[in-house]
Amino acid sequence: MKNILVVSHCILNNASKVAQDEAGLAEEYYYRNELMKLVLDKGIQLIQLPCPEFIMYGAGRWGHVKDQFDNAFFRANCREMLTPVMMQLSEYASYPDRFNILGLVTVEGSPSCGYGLTCRGDWGGELEGRESVPQVRMADEPGVFMEVAGELCREYGLAISFLSIPEAVSAVTDL
């Protein structure tokens, strides 16, 4: 049986992340490295999701919050990006004797790829002339991309667990 893990794009390619102080990502990178070692040691197959933020805004983007992405255009583009992946997962799921989909690994805190935690903020408009940008706050809810992924999983009849990187490390360790 082949075990399959679906991963958020930046787990395999952290160059796609918004430019930021890498020191603040130490814990995420630690668990990412642990997960990659386990994946290689246990022969787990990977499916990499596209990065909606990089595709739509590129490498020169600044940090955004869920509120900025929570619109019909962004959601429609997420659906378009995710549909081919859901079709692949549906095909794998139709052969349960050959394939086991372990879960979909999220990046907690992301406005797109967080599942249990995303960032929110009441901001928009021109930054010029502002004293400061309103504060970002964390919310116990999915980012937009993962919300759409959850909707598509239900539409395709896929019972896939959404896992944070540490949860994925635990799940893969237990195999």
Side-chain angles (χ1 to χ4, degrees):
M1 165 129 4
K2 299 264 185 201
N3 288 310
I4 300 170
L5 198 59
V6 183
V7 295
S8 295
H9 187 88
C10 64
I11 292 172
L12 297 180
N13 176 17
N14 60 20
S16 65
K17 290 177 101 50
V18 70
Q20 58 191 294
D21 179 7
E22 298 269 323
L25 298 172
E27 182 178 8
E28 178 184 317
Y29 285 4
Y30 167 78
Y31 282 109
R32 175 188 167 273
N33 291 340
E34 291 300 306
L35 180 61
M36 291 303 100
K37 289 175 198 170
L38 287 165
V39 161
L40 291 172
D41 288 346
K42 295 183 180 263
I44 295 168
Q45 310 304 304
L46 296 175
I47 296 176
Q48 182 182 27
L49 293 175
C51 175
E53 295 177 36
F54 191 87
I55 289 170
M56 293 179 66
Y57 297 105
R61 71 191 184 280
W62 56 86
H64 288 75
V65 291
K66 178 180 179 177
D67 305 79
Q68 292 169 294
F69 294 148
D70 196 4
N71 62 71
F73 178 80
F74 192 85
R75 284 179 175 278
N77 278 273
C78 289
R79 180 173 279 274
E80 184 178 328
M81 289 178 228
L82 284 164
T83 296
V85 175
M86 292 300 160
M87 290 170 25
Q88 288 175 9
L89 294 175
S90 181
E91 180 65 14
Y92 286 123
S94 69
Y95 292 91
D97 55 321
R98 292 176 51 200
F99 306 109
N100 177 34
I101 302 170
L102 298 171
L104 191 158
V105 186
T106 65
V107 179
E108 296 308 290
S110 166
S112 294
C113 291
Y115 188 73
L117 190 66
T118 192
C119 56
R120 306 226 43 172
D122 301 319
W123 56 4
E126 185 60 53
L127 295 177
E128 185 177 327
R130 287 186 186 216
E131 295 291 319
S132 66
V133 175
Q135 291 295 310
V136 172
R137 66 186 182 286
M138 300 311 277
D140 297 329
E141 60 188 71
V144 174
F145 195 63
M146 289 303 152
E147 274 186 354
V148 173
E151 292 165 7
L152 285 169
C153 282
R154 287 186 290 281
E155 288 174 26
Y156 279 81
L158 298 169
I160 296 175
S161 299
F162 286 69
L163 308 166
S164 67
I165 301 171
E167 289 170 337
V169 168
S170 292
V172 171
T173 299
D174 294 341
L175 288 179

